[in-house]
Amino acid sequence: MALINCKECNQEVSSKAEKCPHCGVKLKKSGGCCLPIIVGGIVLLIILYIIGSNSESGGIITDEQTYSQSWRSPYGSEYSEIGKIIVQNGIKVCGEYYVKEIESNEYVIACSADGTTWDYFVVYTSLDKIYRANDEMESKLYPPR
């Protein structure tokens, strides 16, 4: 047990006391400040990791196999899951579409309203998200037909 000085009466008081026995002033307990600092540090590290992992590839899919594999028609639940996401996001250029599966529940899709002009998107069916492919990705993708 250490002795500290009361901030009010300057008398010696036990560091474990909640209030000064001489003047009755409530003593501040030190400690507990480390937890917010630790949590803040962890959150900052997570944010930096996310930013760093997205900037490494410039936001494009770098797996060359994705670009070299053939387009195919969606099948099974892909058709309804991808179609639902297209409709929910108000995308009108997908009269027909073809897919390349990148990973499970992640696809590159080629959409066309007229069969000659193609727009490319990346779809995450498990997240119900769709993003337009950037110019660099589009330059690596060729129309399905």
Side-chain angles (χ1 to χ4, degrees), residues 95-145:
E96 66 176 308
Y97 66 93
Y98 295 89
V99 301
K100 292 183 179 195
E101 188 169 10
I102 303 165
E103 293 180 3
S104 179
N105 300 315
E106 183 178 346
Y107 304 88
V108 173
I109 63 170
C111 295
S112 179
D114 60 11
T116 57
T117 306
W118 295 90
D119 291 288
Y120 302 99
F121 298 88
V122 179
V123 179
Y124 301 91
T125 55
S126 61
L127 302 174
D128 285 340
K129 299 282 184 187
I130 187 168
Y131 301 97
R132 181 177 284 282
N134 66 21
D135 292 339
E136 187 175 347
M137 278 184 69
E138 285 193 15
S139 71
K140 294 181 175 187
L141 293 166
Y142 297 98
R145 50 187 179 109

mmCIF file of all heavy atoms in Angstrom, residues 95-145:
data_model
loop_
_atom_site.group_PDB
_atom_site.id
_atom_site.type_symbol
_atom_site.label_atom_id
_atom_site.label_comp_id
_atom_site.label_asym_id
_atom_site.label_seq_id
_atom_site.Cartn_x
_atom_site.Cartn_y
_atom_site.Cartn_z
ATOM 1 N N GLY A 95 -29.671 -6.925 -69.879
ATOM 2 C CA GLY A 95 -30.698 -7.732 -70.520
ATOM 3 C C GLY A 95 -30.272 -9.191 -70.536
ATOM 4 O O GLY A 95 -31.064 -10.110 -70.377
ATOM 5 N N GLU A 96 -28.994 -9.394 -70.744
ATOM 6 C CA GLU A 96 -28.384 -10.720 -70.621
ATOM 7 C C GLU A 96 -27.049 -10.544 -69.922
ATOM 8 O O GLU A 96 -26.446 -9.476 -69.981
ATOM 9 C CB GLU A 96 -28.192 -11.378 -71.990
ATOM 10 C CG GLU A 96 -27.205 -10.683 -72.883
ATOM 11 C CD GLU A 96 -26.966 -11.405 -74.201
ATOM 12 O OE1 GLU A 96 -26.663 -12.623 -74.179
ATOM 13 O OE2 GLU A 96 -27.065 -10.744 -75.239
ATOM 14 N N TYR A 97 -26.605 -11.583 -69.241
ATOM 15 C CA TYR A 97 -25.302 -11.499 -68.587
ATOM 16 C C TYR A 97 -24.635 -12.855 -68.499
ATOM 17 O O TYR A 97 -25.285 -13.895 -68.528
ATOM 18 C CB TYR A 97 -25.397 -10.830 -67.209
ATOM 19 C CG TYR A 97 -26.184 -11.579 -66.150
ATOM 20 C CD1 TYR A 97 -25.550 -12.453 -65.279
ATOM 21 C CD2 TYR A 97 -27.554 -11.392 -66.009
ATOM 22 C CE1 TYR A 97 -26.247 -13.116 -64.296
ATOM 23 C CE2 TYR A 97 -28.267 -12.050 -65.027
ATOM 24 C CZ TYR A 97 -27.606 -12.914 -64.179
ATOM 25 O OH TYR A 97 -28.315 -13.584 -63.206
ATOM 26 N N TYR A 98 -23.310 -12.785 -68.426
ATOM 27 C CA TYR A 98 -22.468 -13.965 -68.297
ATOM 28 C C TYR A 98 -21.563 -13.757 -67.089
ATOM 29 O O TYR A 98 -21.342 -12.623 -66.667
ATOM 30 C CB TYR A 98 -21.637 -14.186 -69.560
ATOM 31 C CG TYR A 98 -22.491 -14.490 -70.761
ATOM 32 C CD1 TYR A 98 -22.973 -13.463 -71.567
ATOM 33 C CD2 TYR A 98 -22.847 -15.795 -71.067
ATOM 34 C CE1 TYR A 98 -23.780 -13.736 -72.661
ATOM 35 C CE2 TYR A 98 -23.654 -16.075 -72.165
ATOM 36 C CZ TYR A 98 -24.126 -15.038 -72.960
ATOM 37 O OH TYR A 98 -24.932 -15.320 -74.024
ATOM 38 N N VAL A 99 -21.037 -14.859 -66.553
ATOM 39 C CA VAL A 99 -20.261 -14.766 -65.317
ATOM 40 C C VAL A 99 -18.906 -15.450 -65.448
ATOM 41 O O VAL A 99 -18.710 -16.342 -66.280
ATOM 42 C CB VAL A 99 -21.015 -15.395 -64.111
ATOM 43 C CG1 VAL A 99 -22.347 -14.716 -63.888
ATOM 44 C CG2 VAL A 99 -21.193 -16.886 -64.276
ATOM 45 N N LYS A 100 -17.990 -14.989 -64.584
ATOM 46 C CA LYS A 100 -16.730 -15.670 -64.294
ATOM 47 C C LYS A 100 -16.676 -15.717 -62.779
ATOM 48 O O LYS A 100 -16.753 -14.682 -62.125
ATOM 49 C CB LYS A 100 -15.527 -14.891 -64.822
ATOM 50 C CG LYS A 100 -15.419 -14.836 -66.325
ATOM 51 C CD LYS A 100 -14.142 -14.102 -66.718
ATOM 52 C CE LYS A 100 -14.003 -14.063 -68.220
ATOM 53 N NZ LYS A 100 -12.643 -13.693 -68.633
ATOM 54 N N GLU A 101 -16.565 -16.907 -62.227
ATOM 55 C CA GLU A 101 -16.497 -17.022 -60.772
ATOM 56 C C GLU A 101 -15.060 -16.785 -60.315
ATOM 57 O O GLU A 101 -14.141 -17.463 -60.752
ATOM 58 C CB GLU A 101 -17.000 -18.388 -60.311
ATOM 59 C CG GLU A 101 -17.131 -18.486 -58.811
ATOM 60 C CD GLU A 101 -17.876 -19.732 -58.351
ATOM 61 O OE1 GLU A 101 -18.137 -20.625 -59.175
ATOM 62 O OE2 GLU A 101 -18.184 -19.809 -57.161
ATOM 63 N N ILE A 102 -14.880 -15.816 -59.424
ATOM 64 C CA ILE A 102 -13.554 -15.496 -58.892
ATOM 65 C C ILE A 102 -13.272 -16.414 -57.713
ATOM 66 O O ILE A 102 -12.250 -17.073 -57.645
ATOM 67 C CB ILE A 102 -13.486 -14.026 -58.437
ATOM 68 C CG1 ILE A 102 -13.846 -13.100 -59.599
ATOM 69 C CG2 ILE A 102 -12.120 -13.695 -57.871
ATOM 70 C CD1 ILE A 102 -14.149 -11.688 -59.189
ATOM 71 N N GLU A 103 -14.175 -16.387 -56.761
ATOM 72 C CA GLU A 103 -14.143 -17.231 -55.575
ATOM 73 C C GLU A 103 -15.592 -17.577 -55.273
ATOM 74 O O GLU A 103 -16.500 -17.100 -55.927
ATOM 75 C CB GLU A 103 -13.546 -16.469 -54.375
ATOM 76 C CG GLU A 103 -12.090 -16.133 -54.496
ATOM 77 C CD GLU A 103 -11.575 -15.377 -53.276
ATOM 78 O OE1 GLU A 103 -12.352 -15.174 -52.313
ATOM 79 O OE2 GLU A 103 -10.410 -14.992 -53.287
ATOM 80 N N SER A 104 -15.798 -18.349 -54.240
ATOM 81 C CA SER A 104 -17.159 -18.669 -53.825
ATOM 82 C C SER A 104 -17.900 -17.371 -53.505
ATOM 83 O O SER A 104 -17.401 -16.541 -52.745
ATOM 84 C CB SER A 104 -17.124 -19.585 -52.603
ATOM 85 O OG SER A 104 -18.423 -19.882 -52.186
ATOM 86 N N ASN A 105 -19.056 -17.182 -54.095
ATOM 87 C CA ASN A 105 -19.923 -16.012 -53.888
ATOM 88 C C ASN A 105 -19.318 -14.707 -54.395
ATOM 89 O O ASN A 105 -19.737 -13.633 -53.980
ATOM 90 C CB ASN A 105 -20.303 -15.858 -52.402
ATOM 91 C CG ASN A 105 -21.047 -17.063 -51.884
ATOM 92 O OD1 ASN A 105 -21.951 -17.563 -52.533
ATOM 93 N ND2 ASN A 105 -20.651 -17.544 -50.726
ATOM 94 N N GLU A 106 -18.338 -14.765 -55.294
ATOM 95 C CA GLU A 106 -17.730 -13.566 -55.873
ATOM 96 C C GLU A 106 -17.572 -13.788 -57.375
ATOM 97 O O GLU A 106 -16.938 -14.748 -57.800
ATOM 98 C CB GLU A 106 -16.373 -13.307 -55.219
ATOM 99 C CG GLU A 106 -15.696 -12.051 -55.686
ATOM 100 C CD GLU A 106 -14.373 -11.806 -54.972
ATOM 101 O OE1 GLU A 106 -14.089 -12.450 -53.933
ATOM 102 O OE2 GLU A 106 -13.615 -10.967 -55.462
ATOM 103 N N TYR A 107 -18.160 -12.875 -58.161
ATOM 104 C CA TYR A 107 -18.207 -13.053 -59.611
ATOM 105 C C TYR A 107 -17.849 -11.765 -60.335
ATOM 106 O O TYR A 107 -18.131 -10.670 -59.858
ATOM 107 C CB TYR A 107 -19.622 -13.440 -60.065
ATOM 108 C CG TYR A 107 -20.162 -14.673 -59.399
ATOM 109 C CD1 TYR A 107 -20.840 -14.589 -58.187
ATOM 110 C CD2 TYR A 107 -20.005 -15.917 -59.976
ATOM 111 C CE1 TYR A 107 -21.338 -15.724 -57.568
ATOM 112 C CE2 TYR A 107 -20.502 -17.059 -59.362
ATOM 113 C CZ TYR A 107 -21.166 -16.955 -58.153
ATOM 114 O OH TYR A 107 -21.654 -18.076 -57.549
ATOM 115 N N VAL A 108 -17.263 -11.920 -61.523
ATOM 116 C CA VAL A 108 -17.202 -10.828 -62.485
ATOM 117 C C VAL A 108 -18.329 -11.135 -63.454
ATOM 118 O O VAL A 108 -18.483 -12.282 -63.903
ATOM 119 C CB VAL A 108 -15.851 -10.797 -63.231
ATOM 120 C CG1 VAL A 108 -15.889 -9.751 -64.338
ATOM 121 C CG2 VAL A 108 -14.724 -10.515 -62.278
ATOM 122 N N ILE A 109 -19.151 -10.129 -63.766
ATOM 123 C CA ILE A 109 -20.227 -10.367 -64.720
ATOM 124 C C ILE A 109 -20.106 -9.387 -65.883
ATOM 125 O O ILE A 109 -19.649 -8.259 -65.721
ATOM 126 C CB ILE A 109 -21.639 -10.286 -64.091
ATOM 127 C CG1 ILE A 109 -21.940 -8.896 -63.546
ATOM 128 C CG2 ILE A 109 -21.799 -11.325 -63.002
ATOM 129 C CD1 ILE A 109 -23.410 -8.717 -63.146
ATOM 130 N N ALA A 110 -20.487 -9.863 -67.068
ATOM 131 C CA ALA A 110 -20.550 -9.036 -68.267
ATOM 132 C C ALA A 110 -22.019 -8.899 -68.614
ATOM 133 O O ALA A 110 -22.722 -9.895 -68.778
ATOM 134 C CB ALA A 110 -19.789 -9.694 -69.404
ATOM 135 N N CYS A 111 -22.497 -7.650 -68.686
ATOM 136 C CA CYS A 111 -23.913 -7.385 -68.944
ATOM 137 C C CYS A 111 -24.068 -6.648 -70.263
ATOM 138 O O CYS A 111 -23.256 -5.791 -70.606
ATOM 139 C CB CYS A 111 -24.502 -6.481 -67.858
ATOM 140 S SG CYS A 111 -24.532 -7.210 -66.236
ATOM 141 N N SER A 112 -25.149 -6.959 -70.961
ATOM 142 C CA SER A 112 -25.449 -6.245 -72.197
ATOM 143 C C SER A 112 -26.950 -6.087 -72.349
ATOM 144 O O SER A 112 -27.719 -7.012 -72.075
ATOM 145 C CB SER A 112 -24.888 -7.003 -73.397
ATOM 146 O OG SER A 112 -25.200 -6.314 -74.589
ATOM 147 N N ALA A 113 -27.355 -4.918 -72.798
ATOM 148 C CA ALA A 113 -28.766 -4.680 -73.088
ATOM 149 C C ALA A 113 -29.064 -5.017 -74.544
ATOM 150 O O ALA A 113 -30.199 -5.336 -74.895
ATOM 151 C CB ALA A 113 -29.126 -3.222 -72.807
ATOM 152 N N ASP A 114 -28.020 -4.971 -75.423
ATOM 153 C CA ASP A 114 -28.242 -5.173 -76.853
ATOM 154 C C ASP A 114 -27.413 -6.310 -77.455
ATOM 155 O O ASP A 114 -27.514 -6.589 -78.643
ATOM 156 C CB ASP A 114 -27.951 -3.873 -77.607
ATOM 157 C CG ASP A 114 -26.525 -3.383 -77.421
ATOM 158 O OD1 ASP A 114 -25.692 -4.127 -76.880
ATOM 159 O OD2 ASP A 114 -26.249 -2.230 -77.814
ATOM 160 N N GLY A 115 -26.565 -6.957 -76.662
ATOM 161 C CA GLY A 115 -25.751 -8.063 -77.156
ATOM 162 C C GLY A 115 -24.457 -7.634 -77.820
ATOM 163 O O GLY A 115 -23.666 -8.480 -78.225
ATOM 164 N N THR A 116 -24.234 -6.327 -77.961
ATOM 165 C CA THR A 116 -22.998 -5.859 -78.584
ATOM 166 C C THR A 116 -22.167 -4.962 -77.659
ATOM 167 O O THR A 116 -20.951 -4.988 -77.712
ATOM 168 C CB THR A 116 -23.286 -5.080 -79.889
ATOM 169 O OG1 THR A 116 -24.157 -3.991 -79.594
ATOM 170 C CG2 THR A 116 -23.939 -5.981 -80.927
ATOM 171 N N THR A 117 -22.819 -4.172 -76.837
ATOM 172 C CA THR A 117 -22.134 -3.297 -75.887
ATOM 173 C C THR A 117 -22.169 -3.953 -74.521
ATOM 174 O O THR A 117 -23.250 -4.300 -74.035
ATOM 175 C CB THR A 117 -22.828 -1.920 -75.812
ATOM 176 O OG1 THR A 117 -22.927 -1.390 -77.124
ATOM 177 C CG2 THR A 117 -22.053 -0.972 -74.920
ATOM 178 N N TRP A 118 -20.980 -4.112 -73.907
ATOM 179 C CA TRP A 118 -20.889 -4.838 -72.646
ATOM 180 C C TRP A 118 -20.403 -3.941 -71.516
ATOM 181 O O TRP A 118 -19.517 -3.116 -71.708
ATOM 182 C CB TRP A 118 -19.961 -6.041 -72.792
ATOM 183 C CG TRP A 118 -20.526 -7.038 -73.761
ATOM 184 C CD1 TRP A 118 -20.314 -7.080 -75.101
ATOM 185 C CD2 TRP A 118 -21.431 -8.089 -73.454
ATOM 186 N NE1 TRP A 118 -21.036 -8.108 -75.656
ATOM 187 C CE2 TRP A 118 -21.734 -8.748 -74.662
ATOM 188 C CE3 TRP A 118 -22.012 -8.564 -72.290
ATOM 189 C CZ2 TRP A 118 -22.584 -9.832 -74.741
ATOM 190 C CZ3 TRP A 118 -22.864 -9.643 -72.357
ATOM 191 C CH2 TRP A 118 -23.138 -10.274 -73.560
ATOM 192 N N ASP A 119 -21.008 -4.106 -70.354
ATOM 193 C CA ASP A 119 -20.587 -3.445 -69.127
ATOM 194 C C ASP A 119 -20.178 -4.544 -68.152
ATOM 195 O O ASP A 119 -20.804 -5.610 -68.115
ATOM 196 C CB ASP A 119 -21.729 -2.613 -68.526
ATOM 197 C CG ASP A 119 -22.055 -1.411 -69.374
ATOM 198 O OD1 ASP A 119 -21.248 -0.469 -69.383
ATOM 199 O OD2 ASP A 119 -23.115 -1.413 -70.039
ATOM 200 N N TYR A 120 -19.151 -4.259 -67.348
ATOM 201 C CA TYR A 120 -18.607 -5.262 -66.452
ATOM 202 C C TYR A 120 -18.775 -4.839 -64.995
ATOM 203 O O TYR A 120 -18.601 -3.668 -64.651
ATOM 204 C CB TYR A 120 -17.129 -5.496 -66.757
ATOM 205 C CG TYR A 120 -16.909 -5.919 -68.194
ATOM 206 C CD1 TYR A 120 -16.517 -4.988 -69.149
ATOM 207 C CD2 TYR A 120 -17.129 -7.234 -68.593
ATOM 208 C CE1 TYR A 120 -16.329 -5.372 -70.473
ATOM 209 C CE2 TYR A 120 -16.944 -7.622 -69.901
ATOM 210 C CZ TYR A 120 -16.548 -6.683 -70.845
ATOM 211 O OH TYR A 120 -16.373 -7.070 -72.145
ATOM 212 N N PHE A 121 -19.109 -5.817 -64.160
ATOM 213 C CA PHE A 121 -19.350 -5.573 -62.736
ATOM 214 C C PHE A 121 -18.701 -6.680 -61.919
ATOM 215 O O PHE A 121 -18.471 -7.781 -62.424
ATOM 216 C CB PHE A 121 -20.859 -5.558 -62.429
ATOM 217 C CG PHE A 121 -21.614 -4.480 -63.140
ATOM 218 C CD1 PHE A 121 -22.140 -4.695 -64.407
ATOM 219 C CD2 PHE A 121 -21.810 -3.243 -62.547
ATOM 220 C CE1 PHE A 121 -22.845 -3.702 -65.062
ATOM 221 C CE2 PHE A 121 -22.508 -2.244 -63.189
ATOM 222 C CZ PHE A 121 -23.021 -2.474 -64.455
ATOM 223 N N VAL A 122 -18.452 -6.386 -60.648
ATOM 224 C CA VAL A 122 -18.019 -7.399 -59.687
ATOM 225 C C VAL A 122 -19.168 -7.546 -58.697
ATOM 226 O O VAL A 122 -19.661 -6.553 -58.158
ATOM 227 C CB VAL A 122 -16.722 -6.992 -58.954
ATOM 228 C CG1 VAL A 122 -16.322 -8.052 -57.941
ATOM 229 C CG2 VAL A 122 -15.600 -6.749 -59.946
ATOM 230 N N VAL A 123 -19.615 -8.791 -58.484
ATOM 231 C CA VAL A 123 -20.761 -9.064 -57.623
ATOM 232 C C VAL A 123 -20.337 -9.949 -56.461
ATOM 233 O O VAL A 123 -19.627 -10.941 -56.662
ATOM 234 C CB VAL A 123 -21.895 -9.780 -58.403
ATOM 235 C CG1 VAL A 123 -23.078 -10.073 -57.506
ATOM 236 C CG2 VAL A 123 -22.324 -8.961 -59.596
ATOM 237 N N TYR A 124 -20.755 -9.558 -55.264
ATOM 238 C CA TYR A 124 -20.535 -10.350 -54.054
ATOM 239 C C TYR A 124 -21.910 -10.810 -53.571
ATOM 240 O O TYR A 124 -22.627 -10.050 -52.921
ATOM 241 C CB TYR A 124 -19.832 -9.515 -52.967
ATOM 242 C CG TYR A 124 -18.499 -8.981 -53.411
ATOM 243 C CD1 TYR A 124 -18.390 -7.741 -54.010
ATOM 244 C CD2 TYR A 124 -17.349 -9.737 -53.232
ATOM 245 C CE1 TYR A 124 -17.156 -7.251 -54.425
ATOM 246 C CE2 TYR A 124 -16.110 -9.253 -53.643
ATOM 247 C CZ TYR A 124 -16.026 -8.008 -54.244
ATOM 248 O OH TYR A 124 -14.810 -7.531 -54.650
ATOM 249 N N THR A 125 -22.277 -12.040 -53.916
ATOM 250 C CA THR A 125 -23.632 -12.504 -53.599
ATOM 251 C C THR A 125 -23.859 -12.667 -52.106
ATOM 252 O O THR A 125 -24.975 -12.469 -51.629
ATOM 253 C CB THR A 125 -23.952 -13.822 -54.329
ATOM 254 O OG1 THR A 125 -22.961 -14.794 -54.014
ATOM 255 C CG2 THR A 125 -24.018 -13.616 -55.827
ATOM 256 N N SER A 126 -22.832 -13.012 -51.347
ATOM 257 C CA SER A 126 -23.022 -13.188 -49.907
ATOM 258 C C SER A 126 -23.231 -11.849 -49.206
ATOM 259 O O SER A 126 -23.773 -11.796 -48.106
ATOM 260 C CB SER A 126 -21.834 -13.917 -49.283
ATOM 261 O OG SER A 126 -20.649 -13.172 -49.476
ATOM 262 N N LEU A 127 -22.825 -10.751 -49.841
ATOM 263 C CA LEU A 127 -22.977 -9.410 -49.259
ATOM 264 C C LEU A 127 -24.085 -8.611 -49.931
ATOM 265 O O LEU A 127 -24.363 -7.483 -49.525
ATOM 266 C CB LEU A 127 -21.660 -8.626 -49.390
ATOM 267 C CG LEU A 127 -20.426 -9.247 -48.752
ATOM 268 C CD1 LEU A 127 -19.185 -8.437 -49.102
ATOM 269 C CD2 LEU A 127 -20.595 -9.339 -47.249
ATOM 270 N N ASP A 128 -24.695 -9.169 -50.988
ATOM 271 C CA ASP A 128 -25.691 -8.444 -51.789
ATOM 272 C C ASP A 128 -25.132 -7.127 -52.317
ATOM 273 O O ASP A 128 -25.801 -6.097 -52.288
ATOM 274 C CB ASP A 128 -26.985 -8.186 -50.995
ATOM 275 C CG ASP A 128 -27.834 -9.432 -50.833
ATOM 276 O OD1 ASP A 128 -27.648 -10.384 -51.619
ATOM 277 O OD2 ASP A 128 -28.689 -9.452 -49.941
ATOM 278 N N LYS A 129 -23.882 -7.151 -52.813
ATOM 279 C CA LYS A 129 -23.214 -5.943 -53.309
ATOM 280 C C LYS A 129 -22.778 -6.142 -54.753
ATOM 281 O O LYS A 129 -22.415 -7.246 -55.165
ATOM 282 C CB LYS A 129 -21.966 -5.603 -52.478
ATOM 283 C CG LYS A 129 -22.239 -5.329 -51.026
ATOM 284 C CD LYS A 129 -22.802 -3.953 -50.836
ATOM 285 C CE LYS A 129 -22.975 -3.661 -49.359
ATOM 286 N NZ LYS A 129 -23.655 -2.439 -49.103
ATOM 287 N N ILE A 130 -22.821 -5.044 -55.513
ATOM 288 C CA ILE A 130 -22.339 -5.048 -56.892
ATOM 289 C C ILE A 130 -21.590 -3.750 -57.132
ATOM 290 O O ILE A 130 -22.010 -2.691 -56.654
ATOM 291 C CB ILE A 130 -23.501 -5.230 -57.893
ATOM 292 C CG1 ILE A 130 -22.980 -5.396 -59.326
ATOM 293 C CG2 ILE A 130 -24.506 -4.084 -57.799
ATOM 294 C CD1 ILE A 130 -24.035 -5.863 -60.321
ATOM 295 N N TYR A 131 -20.462 -3.844 -57.829
ATOM 296 C CA TYR A 131 -19.640 -2.676 -58.125
ATOM 297 C C TYR A 131 -19.263 -2.696 -59.599
ATOM 298 O O TYR A 131 -18.964 -3.762 -60.136
ATOM 299 C CB TYR A 131 -18.355 -2.678 -57.287
ATOM 300 C CG TYR A 131 -18.620 -2.684 -55.805
ATOM 301 C CD1 TYR A 131 -18.601 -3.872 -55.082
ATOM 302 C CD2 TYR A 131 -18.899 -1.499 -55.130
ATOM 303 C CE1 TYR A 131 -18.855 -3.879 -53.719
ATOM 304 C CE2 TYR A 131 -19.155 -1.491 -53.764
ATOM 305 C CZ TYR A 131 -19.119 -2.687 -53.070
ATOM 306 O OH TYR A 131 -19.384 -2.697 -51.726
ATOM 307 N N ARG A 132 -19.257 -1.536 -60.228
ATOM 308 C CA ARG A 132 -18.812 -1.448 -61.615
ATOM 309 C C ARG A 132 -17.310 -1.693 -61.652
ATOM 310 O O ARG A 132 -16.571 -1.197 -60.811
ATOM 311 C CB ARG A 132 -19.142 -0.085 -62.206
ATOM 312 C CG ARG A 132 -18.726 0.041 -63.669
ATOM 313 C CD ARG A 132 -19.131 1.360 -64.263
ATOM 314 N NE ARG A 132 -20.542 1.438 -64.573
ATOM 315 C CZ ARG A 132 -21.125 0.883 -65.636
ATOM 316 N NH1 ARG A 132 -20.419 0.157 -66.464
ATOM 317 N NH2 ARG A 132 -22.399 1.040 -65.856
ATOM 318 N N ALA A 133 -16.876 -2.473 -62.633
ATOM 319 C CA ALA A 133 -15.445 -2.724 -62.802
ATOM 320 C C ALA A 133 -14.764 -1.425 -63.218
ATOM 321 O O ALA A 133 -15.322 -0.645 -63.989
ATOM 322 C CB ALA A 133 -15.233 -3.805 -63.856
ATOM 323 N N ASN A 134 -13.552 -1.196 -62.711
ATOM 324 C CA ASN A 134 -12.840 0.033 -63.080
ATOM 325 C C ASN A 134 -12.227 -0.127 -64.475
ATOM 326 O O ASN A 134 -12.247 -1.201 -65.070
ATOM 327 C CB ASN A 134 -11.820 0.425 -62.012
ATOM 328 C CG ASN A 134 -10.678 -0.558 -61.882
ATOM 329 O OD1 ASN A 134 -10.386 -1.338 -62.779
ATOM 330 N ND2 ASN A 134 -10.019 -0.526 -60.740
ATOM 331 N N ASP A 135 -11.671 0.964 -64.999
ATOM 332 C CA ASP A 135 -11.136 0.976 -66.365
ATOM 333 C C ASP A 135 -10.039 -0.061 -66.580
ATOM 334 O O ASP A 135 -9.988 -0.708 -67.621
ATOM 335 C CB ASP A 135 -10.593 2.368 -66.709
ATOM 336 C CG ASP A 135 -11.703 3.409 -66.821
ATOM 337 O OD1 ASP A 135 -12.869 3.015 -67.024
ATOM 338 O OD2 ASP A 135 -11.394 4.612 -66.711
ATOM 339 N N GLU A 136 -9.166 -0.234 -65.588
ATOM 340 C CA GLU A 136 -8.081 -1.205 -65.739
ATOM 341 C C GLU A 136 -8.633 -2.626 -65.840
ATOM 342 O O GLU A 136 -8.164 -3.433 -66.648
ATOM 343 C CB GLU A 136 -7.091 -1.096 -64.583
ATOM 344 C CG GLU A 136 -5.862 -1.951 -64.787
ATOM 345 C CD GLU A 136 -4.815 -1.771 -63.703
ATOM 346 O OE1 GLU A 136 -4.905 -0.820 -62.909
ATOM 347 O OE2 GLU A 136 -3.897 -2.609 -63.647
ATOM 348 N N MET A 137 -9.635 -2.939 -65.025
ATOM 349 C CA MET A 137 -10.252 -4.268 -65.118
ATOM 350 C C MET A 137 -10.918 -4.436 -66.474
ATOM 351 O O MET A 137 -10.770 -5.475 -67.126
ATOM 352 C CB MET A 137 -11.300 -4.466 -64.014
ATOM 353 C CG MET A 137 -10.741 -4.862 -62.688
ATOM 354 S SD MET A 137 -12.033 -5.192 -61.479
ATOM 355 C CE MET A 137 -12.744 -6.685 -62.142
ATOM 356 N N GLU A 138 -11.666 -3.413 -66.900
ATOM 357 C CA GLU A 138 -12.368 -3.519 -68.180
ATOM 358 C C GLU A 138 -11.399 -3.732 -69.334
ATOM 359 O O GLU A 138 -11.723 -4.438 -70.293
ATOM 360 C CB GLU A 138 -13.235 -2.277 -68.421
ATOM 361 C CG GLU A 138 -14.484 -2.280 -67.579
ATOM 362 C CD GLU A 138 -15.512 -1.251 -68.017
ATOM 363 O OE1 GLU A 138 -15.399 -0.706 -69.140
ATOM 364 O OE2 GLU A 138 -16.455 -1.016 -67.250
ATOM 365 N N SER A 139 -10.221 -3.138 -69.249
ATOM 366 C CA SER A 139 -9.238 -3.302 -70.331
ATOM 367 C C SER A 139 -8.719 -4.746 -70.407
ATOM 368 O O SER A 139 -8.227 -5.158 -71.451
ATOM 369 C CB SER A 139 -8.068 -2.328 -70.149
ATOM 370 O OG SER A 139 -7.257 -2.710 -69.055
ATOM 371 N N LYS A 140 -8.844 -5.512 -69.327
ATOM 372 C CA LYS A 140 -8.380 -6.894 -69.306
ATOM 373 C C LYS A 140 -9.495 -7.896 -69.637
ATOM 374 O O LYS A 140 -9.231 -9.078 -69.803
ATOM 375 C CB LYS A 140 -7.797 -7.239 -67.933
ATOM 376 C CG LYS A 140 -6.537 -6.486 -67.599
ATOM 377 C CD LYS A 140 -6.033 -6.915 -66.236
ATOM 378 C CE LYS A 140 -4.710 -6.302 -65.893
ATOM 379 N NZ LYS A 140 -4.144 -6.845 -64.666
ATOM 380 N N LEU A 141 -10.733 -7.416 -69.687
ATOM 381 C CA LEU A 141 -11.877 -8.304 -69.937
ATOM 382 C C LEU A 141 -12.320 -8.183 -71.388
ATOM 383 O O LEU A 141 -12.321 -7.089 -71.957
ATOM 384 C CB LEU A 141 -13.037 -7.939 -68.996
ATOM 385 C CG LEU A 141 -12.788 -8.195 -67.516
ATOM 386 C CD1 LEU A 141 -13.839 -7.498 -66.668
ATOM 387 C CD2 LEU A 141 -12.786 -9.699 -67.223
ATOM 388 N N TYR A 142 -12.709 -9.308 -71.967
ATOM 389 C CA TYR A 142 -13.182 -9.322 -73.328
ATOM 390 C C TYR A 142 -14.646 -9.751 -73.338
ATOM 391 O O TYR A 142 -15.058 -10.561 -72.513
ATOM 392 C CB TYR A 142 -12.327 -10.283 -74.179
ATOM 393 C CG TYR A 142 -10.895 -9.816 -74.247
ATOM 394 C CD1 TYR A 142 -9.939 -10.363 -73.419
ATOM 395 C CD2 TYR A 142 -10.530 -8.797 -75.121
ATOM 396 C CE1 TYR A 142 -8.624 -9.931 -73.471
ATOM 397 C CE2 TYR A 142 -9.222 -8.353 -75.165
ATOM 398 C CZ TYR A 142 -8.263 -8.911 -74.345
ATOM 399 O OH TYR A 142 -6.968 -8.474 -74.391
ATOM 400 N N PRO A 143 -15.435 -9.234 -74.289
ATOM 401 C CA PRO A 143 -16.858 -9.600 -74.330
ATOM 402 C C PRO A 143 -17.051 -11.102 -74.434
ATOM 403 O O PRO A 143 -16.231 -11.816 -75.006
ATOM 404 C CB PRO A 143 -17.368 -8.899 -75.599
ATOM 405 C CG PRO A 143 -16.390 -7.798 -75.846
ATOM 406 C CD PRO A 143 -15.064 -8.308 -75.342
ATOM 407 N N PRO A 144 -18.152 -11.584 -73.883
ATOM 408 C CA PRO A 144 -18.414 -13.024 -73.883
ATOM 409 C C PRO A 144 -18.615 -13.618 -75.275
ATOM 410 O O PRO A 144 -18.409 -14.791 -75.481
ATOM 411 C CB PRO A 144 -19.702 -13.174 -73.067
ATOM 412 C CG PRO A 144 -19.919 -11.870 -72.412
ATOM 413 C CD PRO A 144 -19.136 -10.848 -73.113
ATOM 414 N N ARG A 145 -19.058 -12.804 -76.211
ATOM 415 C CA ARG A 145 -19.267 -13.334 -77.565
ATOM 416 C C ARG A 145 -19.026 -12.276 -78.588
ATOM 417 O O ARG A 145 -18.852 -11.139 -78.339
ATOM 418 C CB ARG A 145 -20.668 -13.927 -77.727
ATOM 419 C CG ARG A 145 -21.785 -13.028 -77.278
ATOM 420 C CD ARG A 145 -23.100 -13.783 -77.336
ATOM 421 N NE ARG A 145 -24.128 -12.885 -76.877
ATOM 422 C CZ ARG A 145 -25.042 -12.352 -77.652
ATOM 423 N NH1 ARG A 145 -25.087 -12.659 -78.922
ATOM 424 N NH2 ARG A 145 -25.937 -11.540 -77.177
#
